[in-house]
Amino acid sequence: MPRPPRPPPWARTPAPRAWTSPTRRPWPPGSPSWRPRGGRRTSSSRTRASSCSGRTPPAADLELDVWRRTLDVNLTGTFLTVKHAVRSMLPRGGGAIILTGSPTAVNGEGRDFTAYSASKAAIHGLGRTVAAAYADRGIRVNTVQPAYTETPLVAAITDDPQARAAIVGRIPIGRAGTPDDVAGIMVYLASDDGAFATGAVFQVDGGMTSL
């Protein structure tokens, strides 16, 4: 009898382990969650929803497909993350959701962020309304607003000295942000230390929106 075919590599890889909370109820493998102190589930659009950033033409010259793609990725992606996070948190008694905002949601940051600014302003509003809707059911929703943060996503700006200087020049602290600059506030909001914080926007932008 011929031997059965060898399964492909992906079939031989052990399934991811679910993390079990102190109440011994596992989070589903692959779910948008991580382990904060105290065992409650946390979802962050920063890591679970793709983000679409970059400069676009002013409104009169902005192509509709660029507008739609930016809102699909930034806003609809965030909405879907929040929707399913809330659904999974409700039976477990609550949790914390952290959204990523932007100074462009507050002051526009110039003429070149039409679609991006609109998407981020909507995320700020989404965070407030979801926070109000589920606060009495143990779900907290906050938005962290970083400044221009240098990651591979903004390489087009980072690699353009003139564009980078123009943005960094609007940050009073005098430098671009890094992921580590916002990690602390996100850990705080995800932890039991942030249990009384919901519906707020936390500005960690080097003073960018103070100008």
Side-chain angles (χ1 to χ4, degrees):
M1 174 180 289
R3 297 178 63 182
R6 185 176 176 82
W10 59 264
R12 302 195 300 268
T13 304
R17 296 178 60 189
W19 174 70
T20 303
S21 74
T23 56
R24 307 195 68 79
R25 293 175 297 184
W27 303 147
S31 62
S33 60
W34 62 289
R35 182 180 180 180
R37 189 176 69 190
R40 285 200 167 185
R41 187 176 186 185
T42 305
S43 176
S44 173
S45 69
R46 181 177 68 89
T47 57
R48 297 297 171 180
S50 298
S51 184
C52 185
S53 66
R55 294 180 169 182
T56 55
D61 301 314
L62 180 60
E63 295 291 338
L64 183 58
D65 62 339
V66 175
W67 168 269
R68 284 175 171 161
R69 170 163 171 74
T70 304
L71 267 67
D72 281 349
V73 173
N74 281 359
L75 180 57
T76 304
T78 297
F79 164 72
L80 291 173
T81 301
V82 170
K83 175 180 178 177
H84 292 288
V86 168
R87 284 184 172 182
S88 63
M89 289 174 179
L90 286 172
R92 305 179 188 277
I97 298 173
I98 304 165
L99 308 182
T100 304
S102 170
T104 64
V106 179
N107 56 18
E109 285 303 311
R111 53 178 284 170
D112 297 328
F113 297 93
T114 306
Y116 184 78
S117 174
S119 71
K120 288 298 185 176
I123 288 172
H124 285 209
L126 176 67
R128 289 190 295 269
T129 56
V130 177
Y134 295 101
D136 61 349
R137 302 180 71 178
I139 295 176
R140 299 183 293 105
V141 186
N142 291 287
T143 301
V144 173
Q145 177 186 298
Y148 163 70
T149 302
E150 291 191 333
T151 69
L153 187 66
V154 295
I157 298 175
T158 305
D159 296 340
D160 182 337
Q162 185 174 356
R164 183 182 184 279
I167 293 178
V168 173
R170 297 198 296 275
I171 302 175
I173 283 183
R175 64 170 177 84
T178 70
D180 287 343
D181 289 326
V182 296
I185 186 65
M186 289 190 170
V187 170
Y188 165 77
L189 292 172
S191 74
D192 292 342
D193 288 339
F196 202 58
T198 194
V201 176
F202 290 82
Q203 297 173 337
V204 189
D205 61 5
M208 198 170 188
T209 49
S210 68
L211 298 178

